[in-house]
Amino acid sequence: MQTLGNFKLPQFFNYPPYFTLQPVRETREKQVQLWKELILDYCKSQKVFIIGLEEDFPLFINSAIERSLSHEAKEVFLSSLVSEGRAEWMDKGHKKCLILWLRIQDWADCILNFVRENGLENGVMTLEDIRSGIESRGTELEGIDRGVLVRALRHLEQKGKAAIFKGSATDDEGVKFSA
Amino acid sequence: MNDIRKNPTFRTQFHEMCAKVGVDPLASNKGFWAELLGIGDFYYELGVQIVDICLATRSHNGGLIDLQELRTLLSQRRKAARESVSEDDCIRAISKLKVLGSGFEVISVGKKKLVRSVPTELNKDHNEILELAQAQGYVTVEEAQRRLSWSSGRATDALETLLKEGLAMIDDGHRDGKRRYWFPCVASMSVATGAGG
């Protein structure tokens, strides 16, 4: 089994035609489905939040069989994730794509669990603490994209479970929980 | 009686014996033999698993699967059952499915036996392409012309038909720029590793 770092690649990754967009509908649907699952699995395991379509992305190249995805193919697969709410284009030109292997509301739930497990129901944390503090080490929150984190916190804010506040000029933004 | 479930050689011998005396033990699931020996259950169960695998892999292979690959997938599924399933068992189970009018059939292409689960009619040209594909897993128009002495139109026609039927996948990624038509039914993903061409 071929691997990318510690990530096990599925068998289809070694089958050359999966790197060419298939023209026949049913075959294409299967192809898109397999790539979507692979992209989500990979990004989740490697904590990749943003895929740049114009940069080399290890998942889109298989040097063992000398195949790589065309720009069009990348856009088709990612657009399909976008249409399911599992990704978002970050610019009009579709050059960068934010991958949401957890949806924003799921990230918000994840933060709530984290808050409860650490007894922070009425506590205060900086955003940087959440991303890289001791408490979050080894949890799903470790290394979370800052933009995603802010949106998840805003989601909690709307539900009255958190309040984001600005620190002084040198300080990071913080959040007060009321979970 | 346990031999029926556990031993594929025994099953083959049993079928041969039945054939000699003119009995088809699978003619009816309620038949005397089936009931006494549980052999009907064995093939019924196998048949269900075969249908299941054929349906699950259809969007990948277009409804045509190498019998050997089918057996590999069967043995993965039956791991808990610890019963080996022979080629003969599969063919018998499939011939029972055929009776149901389900379109399941075993066809021979070159050296391989393939199990068909869609009612696609393969003509002689299609068969020759599939046979050719067994060497590397794929065929190019040029290769079909050269090896089969066909016109380019005939080769393109046959390959495009197989593509539309879902039996082939195109690959435009090779550096020589020639389109390859891959056939998952003759070279599955699991064996294609390293055969990038």
Side-chain angles (χ1 to χ4, degrees):
Chain A
M1 179 88 47
Q2 205 178 334
T3 58
L4 263 182
N6 56 0
F7 183 78
K8 273 191 187 153
L9 290 157
Q11 283 180 340
F12 86 83
F13 194 74
N14 284 313
Y15 200 60
Y18 277 98
F19 284 82
T20 299
L21 273 178
Q22 294 302 309
V24 176
R25 190 174 58 87
E26 209 179 317
T27 318
R28 164 88 72 111
E29 281 168 8
K30 169 82 173 178
Q31 179 188 27
V32 171
Q33 187 57 35
L34 288 171
W35 275 102
K36 278 195 301 203
E37 287 164 15
L38 176 59
I39 293 168
L40 288 180
D41 285 350
Y42 178 79
C43 288
K44 183 174 182 174
S45 91
Q46 307 298 310
K47 293 192 184 279
V48 174
F49 284 85
I50 295 165
I51 296 179
L53 272 78
E54 283 168 356
E55 294 147 34
D56 282 345
F57 187 57
L59 197 60
F60 293 160
I61 300 164
N62 186 346
S63 48
I65 58 167
E66 296 178 6
R67 293 295 185 278
S68 58
L69 289 181
S70 66
H71 191 279
E72 189 195 359
K74 293 179 202 173
E75 197 167 337
V76 166
F77 301 151
L78 291 170
S79 290
S80 181
L81 282 173
V82 169
S83 71
E84 287 173 9
R86 305 313 297 261
E88 290 170 5
W89 292 114
M90 300 176 75
D91 56 330
K92 276 190 185 159
H94 292 189
K95 284 180 182 148
K96 278 189 169 182
C97 191
L98 178 71
I99 309 298
L100 295 166
W101 66 85
L102 286 183
R103 294 180 175 87
I104 295 297
Q105 63 265 34
D106 298 328
W107 278 115
D109 290 342
C110 184
I111 294 169
L112 275 187
N113 283 335
F114 169 79
V115 163
R116 291 189 184 123
E117 272 165 28
N118 289 285
L120 290 162
E121 281 90 341
N122 292 301
V124 173
M125 278 188 102
T126 67
L127 267 54
E128 209 42 50
D129 278 342
I130 300 178
R131 297 185 63 224
S132 57
I134 294 170
E135 293 90 346
S136 57
R137 208 162 289 166
T139 72
E140 266 189 299
L141 290 175
E142 183 179 9
I144 183 175
D145 176 78
R146 204 182 159 88
V148 171
L149 175 59
V150 169
R151 284 169 62 190
L153 289 172
R154 294 228 184 284
H155 186 84
L156 289 177
E157 207 168 32
Q158 278 166 13
K159 290 165 125 190
K161 295 189 172 172
I164 301 173
F165 59 85
K166 264 231 171 296
S168 61
T170 48
D171 279 349
D172 187 20
E173 276 181 299
V175 57
K176 169 143 182 34
F177 295 109
S178 45
Chain B
M1 302 297 146
N2 257 341
D3 283 347
I4 290 281
R5 296 192 71 84
K6 286 192 180 145
N7 188 340
T9 319
F10 180 85
R11 280 193 296 275
T12 308
Q13 286 168 352
F14 174 77
H15 282 296
E16 278 165 7
M17 186 187 83
C18 289
K20 269 185 202 147
V21 296
V23 172
D24 179 359
L26 297 178
S28 155
N29 211 21
K30 285 194 180 122
F32 170 72
W33 289 104
E35 207 153 292
L36 184 68
L37 299 168
I39 196 164
D41 291 346
F42 175 87
Y43 287 102
Y44 173 74
E45 188 184 291
L46 190 59
V48 169
Q49 287 167 339
I50 288 173
V51 171
D52 212 33
I53 290 170
C54 287
L55 291 182
T57 57
R58 189 178 282 177
S59 59
H60 170 63
N61 57 32
L64 206 54
I65 186 170
D66 183 356
L67 182 56
Q68 292 314 315
E69 196 192 353
L70 177 66
R71 278 182 64 200
T72 308
L73 294 171
L74 271 171
S75 68
Q76 283 167 10
R77 181 162 305 201
R78 298 168 67 92
K79 223 180 254 165
R82 296 186 132 206
E83 299 151 356
S84 50
V85 173
S86 69
E87 193 175 300
D88 182 69
D89 288 329
C90 291
I91 293 171
R92 276 181 209 283
I94 291 162
S95 74
K96 293 295 134 190
L97 295 172
K98 201 169 162 185
V99 174
L100 300 173
S102 50
F104 278 74
E105 201 170 356
V106 180
I107 59 174
S108 289
V109 177
K111 283 172 281 180
K112 279 184 194 288
K113 288 197 176 77
L114 305 177
V115 180
R116 188 171 74 181
S117 61
V118 289
T120 323
E121 277 305 322
L122 296 176
N123 66 27
K124 197 167 158 295
D125 281 9
H126 301 152
N127 268 300
E128 286 188 66
I129 295 273
L130 287 177
E131 199 171 336
L132 197 55
Q134 286 173 27
Q136 294 170 291
Y138 67 85
V139 174
T140 62
V141 171
E142 203 175 64
E143 194 186 0
Q145 280 179 259
R146 184 165 41 83
R147 297 280 301 277
L148 304 168
S149 311
W150 289 357
S151 69
S152 117
R154 185 175 173 187
T156 308
D157 228 43
L159 287 166
E160 285 296 315
T161 305
L162 291 165
L163 180 67
K164 281 198 197 80
E165 296 286 351
L167 293 171
M169 292 178 81
I170 53 163
D171 164 28
D172 293 335
H174 194 273
R175 68 179 112 75
D176 68 11
K178 286 174 192 146
R179 173 169 285 187
R180 282 154 168 70
Y181 292 79
W182 288 81
F183 293 87
C185 56
V186 296
S188 74
M189 291 190 277
S190 45
V191 299
T193 313

